[in-house]
């Protein structure tokens, strides 16, 4: 395949409002512009692409969060990323989509039951809307709608322990 030089980049803006009410904890809104560029090589069927993303997240008391995101892209490939955000087909080699419109909605609950130990559950849905699919042979197929989802239960552990207490060593050396 020779040398492939591929670049991805993004820039975004986020705003968070902390309500601290009895029900609502915070509200977060984010927007981002993304781009990809194939500087050399023929790995992709196009040289450049772009995408945009907007998201909104609401955190409630009792560690419950609802979130939603919309992603739109033309000729975009996310390097090592989720295929829901790419206009290159992962199922048919050489096929590409004219555009991708991917909503992402979900909910998450977590509970901290000891310092640095968290138990939680998360559900995600990706009702993906794709544009026209152009196959490697040049034939075109109309748009499609797919619904992908995931559910998971997780345990996060961030134990911390002290290797050396420098203050104790220093005070012992002065005695």
């Amino acid at each position: 395949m020779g040398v492939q030089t591929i670049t991805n980049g993004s820039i975004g803006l986020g705003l968070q409002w902390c309500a601290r009410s009895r029900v609502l904890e915070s509200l977060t809104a984010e927007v981002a512009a993304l781009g990809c560029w194939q500087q050399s090589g023929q790995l992709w069927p196009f040289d450049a692409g772009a995408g945009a993303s907007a998201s909104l997240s609401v955190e409630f008391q009792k560690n419950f969060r609802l979130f939603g995101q919309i992603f739109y892209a033309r000729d975009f490939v996310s390097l090592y990323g989720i295929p829901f955000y790419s206009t290159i087909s992962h199922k048919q080699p050489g096929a590409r989509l004219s555009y991708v419109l991917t909503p992402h909605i979900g909910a998450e609950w977590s509970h901290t039951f000891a310092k640095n130990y968290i138990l939680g559950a998360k559900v995600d849905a990706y009702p993906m809307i794709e544009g026209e699919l152009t196959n490697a042979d040049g034939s075109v197929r109309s748009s499609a709608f797919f619904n992908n989802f995931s559910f998971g239960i997780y345990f996060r552990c961030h134990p911390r322990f002290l290797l050396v207490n420098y203050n104790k060593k220093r005070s012992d050396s002065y005695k």
Side-chain angles (χ1 to χ4, degrees):
M1 286 179 35
V3 175
Q4 305 290 325
T5 307
I6 300 167
T7 304
N8 271 37
S10 69
I11 187 165
L13 177 68
L15 181 64
Q16 185 176 40
W17 175 61
C18 296
R20 306 264 186 222
S21 70
R22 286 196 298 164
V23 176
L24 184 65
E25 179 78 22
S26 67
L27 182 66
T28 305
E30 298 176 332
V31 293
L34 301 98
C36 64
W37 179 34
Q38 179 174 239
Q39 295 168 294
S40 67
Q42 298 299 318
L43 189 61
W44 301 338
F46 45 82
D47 290 330
S53 170
S55 66
L56 183 64
S57 143
V58 180
E59 284 195 43
F60 298 95
Q61 295 290 341
K62 309 291 183 193
N63 301 318
F64 183 70
R65 181 171 76 106
L66 294 173
F67 53 91
Q69 175 192 30
I70 188 81
F71 178 82
Y72 174 80
R74 281 197 175 275
D75 297 338
F76 183 78
V77 176
S78 135
L79 295 180
Y80 305 113
I82 298 175
F84 305 142
Y85 301 112
S86 179
T87 56
I88 292 186
S89 175
H90 291 270
K91 293 181 181 179
Q92 298 178 10
R96 63 183 266 202
L97 300 158
S98 57
Y99 69 91
V100 171
L101 179 62
T102 306
H104 172 203
I105 54 175
E108 181 177 14
W109 171 82
S110 64
H111 176 69
T112 304
F113 62 90
K115 187 177 180 179
N116 299 317
Y117 296 94
I118 301 168
L119 180 67
K122 185 176 180 183
V123 62
D124 292 299
Y126 297 89
M128 188 172 176
I129 303 164
E130 299 177 335
E132 292 181 334
L133 180 69
T134 305
N135 294 317
D137 62 2
S139 63
V140 177
R141 192 171 50 139
S142 63
S143 64
F145 175 81
F146 301 99
N147 190 11
N148 299 291
F149 66 92
S150 70
F151 173 77
I153 297 172
Y154 60 84
F155 175 70
R156 291 183 188 146
C157 175
H158 301 284
R160 296 178 185 185
F161 51 90
L162 185 63
L163 292 176
V164 175
N165 187 345
Y166 288 107
N167 292 335
K168 185 176 180 182
K169 284 179 104 177
R170 207 176 292 151
S171 64
D172 289 345
S173 63
Y174 292 118
K175 289 182 180 178

